[in-house]
Amino acid sequence: MTGLFDAFHFLRPVWLLLLPGIGLLWYLARPRRKQDSPDSQHIAPHLAEALRVGSNTRRRVQPIDSVALCLSLLTLAAAGPTWSRIPNPLIAESAPLVVALKVTPSMEEADLAPSRLDRARFKILDLIATRAGGRTALVAYAGTAHRVAPLTEDPDILRPLLQGLSSEVMPVEGDDAAAALALSMDILGAAETPGAILFVLDDLDPAMVTAFTNDDPAQPPVAMLVAVPAGQIPAQIAGLTGITTVGLTADDRDIAQIERQLISAQQMAQLDDERLDWDDRGWWLLWPAALIALLWFRRGWTMRWGIAIVLVAGLQMPGNAQADGWRDWFLTPDQQGQLAYRNKDFARAAELFNDPMWKGHALLREGRYEEAAELFAELDNAEAAFSEGLARIGNREYRAGARAFETALDRQPDFPAAAKNAEIAWAIVEQVESTREQSDTGEESGIGADDMTFDNEAQRGTVTQVDAPMDEETALSPDQWIDSIDTEMGDFLRSRFLYDNAEGGT
């Protein structure tokens, strides 16, 4: 895998040819030290200094120095330095993460109040909240390892499953971290993008250490969040090389460190993805260039021709790009839109983007599916048709979404994601219409505010509404319903884990 340092290059290296010219200009224009005349050699030095017109001293920093440095920075910016890729908006910005939680009696010790396992649960939920939009899977292990939840962006799915985990639900006692690592790697292997693995544990069986010392570059990065009191990280964990080890803290420092590890893993994975464009970082150099240009307004430093350069540069700037006040001086609307997109301010990003694809993806992430679909429909590439399909599906237009995926396949036959989504969308259409046929009563029923509607182009049944009867005497209150879920979740997980063991799978 390519490293960030090795990935550094210039997108437009031809601009670098200007640097020797700037250096020559600086050399020719910089003032030289005045030489003493032959007659001054016969005069006392203090008298010669008094009789000399002009000073023999010179400034260490001359105006031409700032000009040359400013021009050099602008040239480097125009050359387009880059070392990372622009993330694909179709894929979650956070790298997929598999959390492997150790669920053993030792994790239920109370040296971390209320217990190590409870603190681990809280930290996992905090991490999921921090990674909003990122997919997270959950694995529980003791003597065996089990998949608790697949990769999902919904924290509400993971929360009750986490609460239901305890040492009683694990079918076999022990500490088989190697099995948990293998299972986590299998889950990441099915993901669209490379991700990372986080172990949340209190100790590691010495026999398992060899499983974490693999130097295979294809192995996803592994981090460990150790749920023990401060300063008590076991030696076998602290001695692991190539693995980020983080002690559990009372604040969010541990979560921040893990998040940095995940971001780094995602950036490293994107470097080898040739489908992604390189991220032009040249605009970063505009800030120091602007600060250096301020020196031109110092007394004795003002260069009259500098005003002409500023005026010419201002005339060359596009007049139709209005984005965000002073930011227009340094960033294009699309660059400002990317910043807003990365900050998950999708509504603002949709307003800023000029690029129709990025604008459409911002609308899609904002949940404005109809607007996004209309925008993608105006474009004629396979990626736009695929994105239109996602927007149509989000708007519950399953038939139109399936057709959009098929359009993407017509434009680009080798498009596995479009083929898979088209198959799923047509299956949903078939399921919806078959259900309507089976439940068709021939009655005209109104649609309520909370009812779900689908397209029914084939007219294979009318839309019907079925009110499930509820026995008022036995109906549960919301609090009772939640309590029943928490109580029954442990039984459900234990039964599922026992079934996994009986089937010999996970």
Side-chain angles (χ1 to χ4, degrees), residues 117-294:
L117 185 58
D118 286 330
R119 290 287 293 275
R121 290 193 187 102
F122 299 151
K123 286 296 180 179
I124 293 172
L125 292 175
D126 289 343
L127 179 61
I128 295 172
T130 303
R131 303 180 67 249
R135 294 176 299 161
T136 306
L138 181 61
V139 169
Y141 76 94
T144 53
H146 303 271
R147 186 198 317 257
V148 179
L151 288 170
T152 177
E153 298 180 10
D154 190 354
D156 292 332
I157 294 177
L158 298 176
R159 186 174 290 106
L161 294 171
L162 273 171
Q163 295 299 330
L165 287 174
S166 65
S167 60
E168 287 79 11
V169 307
M170 305 305 294
V172 179
E173 295 184 358
D175 181 8
D176 196 351
L181 178 62
L183 177 57
S184 301
M185 293 176 63
D186 289 342
I187 295 174
L188 286 181
E192 298 173 354
T193 56
I197 301 172
L198 173 65
F199 273 79
V200 184
L201 71 174
D202 59 349
D203 199 356
L204 181 65
D205 188 338
M208 301 289 112
V209 171
T210 55
F212 294 88
T213 56
N214 189 356
D215 295 331
D216 184 2
Q219 179 173 308
V222 177
M224 290 188 176
L225 178 60
V226 188
V228 294
Q232 298 183 20
I233 296 179
Q236 59 267 28
I237 294 179
L240 293 173
T241 59
I243 293 180
T244 301
T245 302
V246 182
L248 191 145
T249 62
D251 52 19
D252 293 334
R253 287 177 298 168
D254 47 2
I255 299 299
Q257 187 173 348
I258 292 171
E259 182 67 10
R260 288 195 298 268
Q261 170 75 8
L262 297 176
I263 293 174
S264 176
Q266 181 198 25
Q267 292 176 344
M268 294 296 293
Q270 289 174 347
L271 293 179
D272 297 326
D273 192 345
E274 298 296 336
R275 299 170 299 175
L276 303 179
D277 295 328
W278 289 100
D279 192 0
D280 189 346
R281 303 300 180 94
W283 63 272
W284 286 14
L285 299 175
L286 297 179
W287 293 99
L291 293 176
I292 293 172
L294 294 177

Side-chain angles (χ1 to χ4, degrees), residues 47-70:
L47 295 177
E49 182 68 23
L51 295 173
R52 184 177 295 115
V53 178
S55 175
N56 190 40
T57 61
R58 61 174 180 173
R59 298 169 178 159
R60 291 186 176 183
V61 179
Q62 299 289 337
I64 188 61
D65 298 336
S66 66
V67 173
L69 182 57
C70 184

Side-chain angles (χ1 to χ4, degrees), residues 11-26:
L11 298 175
R12 298 171 293 275
V14 66
W15 282 92
L16 299 178
L17 297 177
L18 294 179
L19 290 178
I22 295 174
L24 180 61
L25 173 66
W26 170 81

Side-chain angles (χ1 to χ4, degrees), residues 181-464:
L181 178 62
L183 177 57
S184 301
M185 293 176 63
D186 289 342
I187 295 174
L188 286 181
E192 298 173 354
T193 56
I197 301 172
L198 173 65
F199 273 79
V200 184
L201 71 174
D202 59 349
D203 199 356
L204 181 65
D205 188 338
M208 301 289 112
V209 171
T210 55
F212 294 88
T213 56
N214 189 356
D215 295 331
D216 184 2
Q219 179 173 308
V222 177
M224 290 188 176
L225 178 60
V226 188
V228 294
Q232 298 183 20
I233 296 179
Q236 59 267 28
I237 294 179
L240 293 173
T241 59
I243 293 180
T244 301
T245 302
V246 182
L248 191 145
T249 62
D251 52 19
D252 293 334
R253 287 177 298 168
D254 47 2
I255 299 299
Q257 187 173 348
I258 292 171
E259 182 67 10
R260 288 195 298 268
Q261 170 75 8
L262 297 176
I263 293 174
S264 176
Q266 181 198 25
Q267 292 176 344
M268 294 296 293
Q270 289 174 347
L271 293 179
D272 297 326
D273 192 345
E274 298 296 336
R275 299 170 299 175
L276 303 179
D277 295 328
W278 289 100
D279 192 0
D280 189 346
R281 303 300 180 94
W283 63 272
W284 286 14
L285 299 175
L286 297 179
W287 293 99
L291 293 176
I292 293 172
L294 294 177
L295 294 175
W296 295 359
F297 298 94
R298 287 186 58 189
R299 183 176 181 181
W301 284 57
T302 304
M303 297 203 171
R304 298 173 183 175
W305 51 268
I307 299 177
I309 293 178
V310 174
L311 292 176
V312 172
L315 293 175
Q316 297 298 323
M317 294 181 65
N320 61 345
Q322 299 294 329
D324 193 13
W326 61 270
R327 293 178 184 267
D328 296 347
W329 301 352
F330 307 103
L331 302 176
T332 66
D334 284 337
Q335 288 172 331
Q336 296 179 43
Q338 288 182 12
L339 291 177
Y341 192 97
R342 292 175 182 176
N343 292 329
K344 305 186 187 303
D345 188 356
F346 302 117
R348 180 64 174 159
E351 296 176 1
L352 291 170
F353 277 127
N354 284 337
D355 185 282
M357 284 295 294
W358 276 102
K359 180 183 287 290
H361 289 307
L363 291 171
L364 184 62
R365 295 295 296 272
E366 180 65 12
R368 294 155 64 178
Y369 300 117
E370 185 173 357
E371 297 177 54
E374 293 176 356
L375 183 58
F376 287 129
E378 297 175 357
L379 306 177
D380 59 357
N381 57 70
E383 190 80 9
F386 181 82
S387 302
E388 180 190 354
L390 295 178
R392 299 291 185 192
I393 295 297
N395 204 36
R396 297 174 182 169
E397 302 174 52
Y398 298 110
R399 185 181 296 275
R403 288 173 176 167
F405 292 133
E406 290 182 340
T407 300
L409 286 172
D410 292 339
R411 296 173 180 175
Q412 181 181 328
D414 185 16
F415 202 154
K420 179 179 179 181
N421 284 12
E423 180 182 355
I424 294 174
W426 281 122
I428 294 175
V429 172
E430 178 67 22
Q431 177 67 26
V432 170
E433 294 182 349
S434 298
T435 302
R436 283 184 176 144
E437 281 185 333
Q438 296 170 5
S439 61
D440 185 4
T441 61
E443 299 178 358
E444 300 268 346
S445 58
I447 303 299
D450 295 329
D451 294 327
M452 183 179 296
T453 62
F454 305 91
D455 56 28
N456 190 25
E457 184 177 313
Q459 298 298 323
R460 293 172 56 183
T462 61
V463 178
T464 60

